Amino acid sequence: MKDIKFDWINFYTEFATKLLFYKEHRNLLIEKIQSVFEAIHMKFPTLEKDNPLRDIDPFTIFSLFNKNIKESNRIAILTEIAKSFAMTASVPQNFDAIPTVNNLKATFYAFQGEREASDIDHLWEMFSAALAYADNKTEQNKAQFAKWFDVVTKQNGVKWNITMGLYWIRPYHFISLDSRNRTFLCQLEHMPQNFVAAVDGFKQLPSGEQYLWICDLSLDMMQNKSYAYHTFAEFSYHAWLYTTKQYQKMGKPHRFSILPKQQIKHIRKIQTVYQKTDFCQEVYLSEQTYETLMQLLKRKKNIILQGAAGVGKTFVATRLAYAMAGKKSETQIKMIQFHQNYSYEDFMMGFRPTDTGFALKTGVFYRFCKAAEQEKHKPYIFIIDEINRGNLSKIFGELFMLLESDKRGTALHLMYTEEAFTIPDNVYIIGTMNTSDRSLAMVDYALRRRFAFFALQPAFLSDAFQAYQKQIQNEKLDKLIDCIQNLNDAIVQDEMLGEGFVIGHSYFCSKETIDNIYLSAVVEYECIPLLQEYWFDEPQKIQYWSDRLRSAIQ
């Protein structure tokens, strides 16, 4: 690619910031922008059909100089804007990688009488939410961006062009999904196969959350050092070259490994954005329970999902992490499992043998926190499966204090290096704990108060599980589940057991065909051995419930 500085970016970014002042002073903005055209003796575009201009949005302001007009005219407009708005950035002299609007449809709203009274107000809200999110990527700003994106894309006059407007105002943060870029993004020779499959040819305008996912994934890929374009501007320029058939003359960027062409049609469309609805569909928990879990995680930073075997603790933990991250991310989510030999050296850092002696090696949680520090605007979720299988005091060491939600960002010196270490505020920890294993120690009380504990119960009575039962349509399965529920009542009432020892629904959830062989295996090799562990000193109870379980599937 030729040496291009994209010197328009600083000007466009500064101008967008200055426009925010005029959100509450739109009459003044109209006067100023009209005076710009008067000063250079250029006819002001018609923005209202047979009506004087009464209101305008910031994206339409940008479209006034991002149309198919002579470059000299664009420079003249921007030169006068620089004077009128006291710009400090230099007036750009080239406009490479800037998508332009159709000259006949330059507004981001419909004509008066064809639009709702609030349409232009909504565009200003979208504009301010976009600037806020680009400048500070908090969860609250992300939610506001997605909200207003979904609002304005339902308005007359707004479709894919809103992504172009977002790119104009913050080109380092938002990708333009104009027709050229969409064409380029859908080519397997330019983008990874999972991305191409996920966007599915851009058959419909994405939601606000989906659009931000596209932006994030594209940025993540562009940070690859072997990738030819590392910013949205460079990407947009390559897309322009490709679609104007100049691409091959200029040389191709790095290509990803792709499937043979004959296999492309077999690529399965994968899930990209992961939201509350996805969680509630996959996990047999109510929407209210989801909200409770998410609020606990955000407030406390650390939660433990506890319950008996088979209630889906690990499954819920991973899906909650997906929902927190907004996608199934390999970088933002990490899972490990504690065991009796797990140590501080595995978790944080310690000396390990090498060919020549010993060397200090960092542990998995240390590396995870360092990665999270580089992307503080994104949530990073660390899952510890079977958290109470490890010696927690030994594993966490001096991290006890840093785990507290109000101590995030506080530094403590590590014992091996004296390094000032912090757990970033965007790190969340989800642990799982089996309450029915007698061999496990209780969680250390000092650690317990740093976690919120949420007990998961069998979901046999949930609407989602009952819908699953109806879908299976197996009478023996239905009888067995009725028997298991009665068995659970007996377990709860047992003074030596209780709710922490019930049998969960996961035993009966499978992608395999649920037939007589499957049900018999669950009863004989999973449920009955569990009862033999529970009532090892009460053989009569074991025999009674074993007979009832077997008879349910006869």
Side-chain angles (χ1 to χ4, degrees):
M1 186 176 74
K2 68 179 184 178
D3 184 23
I4 300 177
K5 298 180 180 179
F6 303 117
D7 62 355
W8 56 270
I9 292 180
N10 289 340
F11 189 97
Y12 278 43
T13 300
E14 182 185 349
F15 185 50
T17 302
K18 286 185 176 290
L19 279 182
L20 192 56
F21 167 78
Y22 297 93
K23 180 180 179 181
E24 308 299 333
H25 305 87
R26 272 128 71 174
N27 289 334
L28 177 59
L29 176 60
I30 291 172
E31 291 177 8
K32 288 175 74 72
I33 202 67
Q34 286 179 330
S35 67
V36 166
F37 281 78
E38 291 174 3
I40 59 177
H41 306 292
M42 187 180 295
K43 182 182 177 182
F44 191 78
T46 300
L47 301 180
E48 290 282 7
K49 184 178 180 181
D50 301 326
N51 283 307
L53 185 60
R54 293 190 178 90
D55 203 355
I56 196 169
D57 72 280
F59 300 108
T60 297
I61 292 289
F62 266 82
S63 74
L64 297 176
F65 50 86
N66 287 302
K67 300 193 295 184
N68 292 315
I69 57 178
K70 293 180 180 180
E71 196 164 283
S72 58
N73 288 340
R74 296 176 81 170
I75 294 174
I77 294 171
L78 294 181
T79 299
E80 195 59 34
I81 283 177
K83 296 177 184 178
S84 182
F85 289 84
M87 299 285 293
T88 59
S90 300
V91 175
Q93 300 301 304
N94 71 75
F95 302 91
D96 290 316
I98 303 180
T100 56
V101 295
N102 188 319
N103 286 13
L104 299 178
K105 185 64 180 71
T107 62
F108 281 70
Y109 51 81
F111 288 138
Q112 195 170 9
E114 299 174 5
R115 65 175 184 261
E116 298 296 327
S118 58
D119 281 3
I120 294 180
D121 290 332
H122 291 167
L123 288 165
W124 276 101
E125 295 295 344
M126 173 80 267
F127 178 75
S128 58
L131 295 185
Y133 177 71
D135 297 342
N136 186 14
K137 289 185 169 62
T138 65
E139 287 300 312
Q140 182 178 0
N141 287 344
K142 179 180 181 180
Q144 284 297 305
F145 177 97
K147 168 189 172 181
W148 288 111
F149 187 97
D150 293 340
V151 168
V152 300
T153 50
K154 292 179 175 65
Q155 296 178 181
N156 189 9
V158 179
K159 289 186 179 179
W160 296 97
N161 58 345
I162 192 62
T163 66
M164 189 187 306
L166 293 168
Y167 171 72
W168 289 338
I169 66 174
R170 285 294 185 266
Y172 286 126
H173 300 274
F174 302 120
I175 190 171
S176 172
L177 296 181
D178 57 276
S179 58
R180 288 180 183 271
N181 283 1
R182 297 202 304 273
T183 299
F184 193 77
L185 285 166
C186 290
Q187 302 299 316
L188 277 173
E189 60 183 306
H190 306 142
M191 300 298 280
Q193 63 191 41
N194 65 324
F195 181 91
V196 175
V199 298
D200 196 26
F202 289 105
K203 293 177 182 177
Q204 59 184 8
L205 188 68
S207 67
E209 289 193 5
Q210 290 168 339
Y211 172 72
L212 290 180
W213 173 83
I214 292 169
C215 292
D216 288 344
L217 181 59
S218 301
L219 281 175
D220 288 344
M221 292 185 298
M222 290 176 191
Q223 290 171 0
N224 186 330
K225 292 182 179 179
S226 63
Y227 206 46
Y229 21 87
H230 305 102
T231 66
F232 287 144
E234 292 176 1
F235 171 85
S236 188
Y237 182 70
H238 274 91
W240 174 77
L241 291 175
Y242 175 79
T243 54
T244 53
K245 298 184 179 179
Q246 298 180 37
Y247 177 71
Q248 291 183 346
K249 298 178 183 178
M250 303 296 291
K252 293 186 177 182
H254 168 77
R255 292 175 59 151
F256 286 90
S257 297
I258 60 175
L259 293 174
K261 289 187 176 180
Q262 63 269 24
Q263 295 184 27
I264 292 176
K265 64 181 179 179
H266 298 299
I267 294 177
R268 182 182 176 189
K269 183 178 179 182
I270 64 170
Q271 185 174 7
T272 55
V273 176
Y274 195 94
Q275 304 173 352
K276 175 171 66 175
T277 53
D278 302 302
F279 179 93
C280 294
Q281 287 174 1
E282 287 196 284
V283 180
Y284 298 141
L285 294 174
S286 66
E287 183 175 331
Q288 182 180 357
T289 302
Y290 166 85
E291 296 291 354
T292 300
L293 283 171
M294 192 60 71
Q295 289 173 13
L296 279 175
L297 184 57
K298 289 179 178 179
R299 178 180 62 83
K300 194 72 174 180
K301 301 288 187 182
N302 316 304
I303 67 170
I304 288 179
L305 304 177
Q306 61 181 3
V311 295
K313 298 181 293 295
T314 304
F315 189 83
V316 173
T318 55
R319 270 57 191 178
L320 186 62
Y322 294 157
M324 187 71 176
K327 58 184 176 181
K328 296 181 178 182
S329 171
E330 294 181 0
T331 56
Q332 292 173 244
I333 300 169
K334 180 73 175 178
M335 177 185 284
I336 64 169
Q337 188 177 72
F338 278 178
H339 50 76
Q340 286 85 347
N341 292 326
Y342 209 90
S343 67
Y344 178 88
E345 287 72 19
D346 300 312
F347 196 62
M348 280 299 294
M349 64 172 57
F351 287 97
R352 293 297 184 190
T354 66
D355 293 338
T356 58
F358 288 86
L360 186 63
K361 301 289 186 181
T362 57
V364 61
F365 188 67
Y366 177 94
R367 296 192 297 271
F368 187 80
C369 288
K370 291 301 179 183
E373 284 182 353
Q374 304 304 311
E375 296 187 290
K376 292 186 177 180
H377 61 284
K378 295 182 180 180
Y380 270 61
I381 305 96
F382 195 83
I383 303 173
I384 305 174
D385 198 32
E386 304 285 4
I387 191 170
N388 57 329
R389 283 189 178 274
N391 185 330
L392 301 182
S393 298
K394 177 182 175 183
I395 294 171
F396 283 98
E398 68 269 36
L399 298 183
F400 268 112
M401 186 190 82
L402 301 185
L403 285 172
E404 295 186 48
S405 59
D406 60 347
K407 299 297 190 300
R408 297 301 176 86
T410 302
L412 278 182
H413 293 281
L414 300 178
M415 62 180 179
Y416 280 105
T417 63
E418 287 297 313
E419 172 192 350
F421 178 82
T422 65
I423 299 179
D425 191 57
N426 60 321
V427 169
Y428 301 84
I429 299 175
I430 303 176
T432 69
M433 188 172 77
N434 191 333
T435 56
S436 60
D437 194 330
R438 301 175 193 267
S439 66
L440 301 182
M442 294 301 292
V443 172
D444 188 294
Y445 283 108
L447 189 66
R448 178 173 283 274
R449 70 181 183 85
R450 289 165 169 82
F451 281 80
F453 285 75
F454 189 93
L456 293 175
Q457 300 294 335
F460 296 120
L461 298 178
S462 70
D463 293 340
F465 187 86
Q466 291 181 353
Y468 164 76
Q469 270 188 262
K470 290 180 181 178
Q471 182 181 1
I472 299 299
Q473 293 184 336
N474 187 309
E475 185 177 347
K476 290 183 179 180
L477 172 65
D478 296 340
K479 290 181 179 179
L480 179 58
I481 289 174
D482 288 340
C483 183
I484 290 290
Q485 291 185 77
N486 291 329
L487 171 58
N488 281 343
D489 289 340
I491 291 173
V492 170
Q493 293 170 14
D494 192 303
E495 293 181 357
M496 299 300 293
L497 297 175
E499 290 185 353
F501 292 81
V502 293
I503 296 175
H505 57 277
S506 296
Y507 289 102
F508 311 98
C509 299
S510 175
K511 293 181 180 179
E512 300 177 30
T513 301
I514 296 183
D515 53 18
N516 292 344
I517 296 176
Y518 177 88
L519 294 175
S520 178
V522 170
V523 169
E524 294 294 335
Y525 306 114
E526 297 184 66
C527 294
I528 291 178
L530 200 60
L531 299 183
Q532 291 169 343
E533 167 66 22
Y534 288 175
W535 289 313
F536 62 93
D537 57 349
E538 297 184 77
Q540 291 181 338
K541 277 190 177 181
I542 297 172
Q543 189 62 50
Y544 173 76
W545 283 107
S546 296
D547 290 343
R548 290 195 61 178
L549 290 172
R550 289 179 178 130
S551 64
I553 58 174
Q554 295 301 315

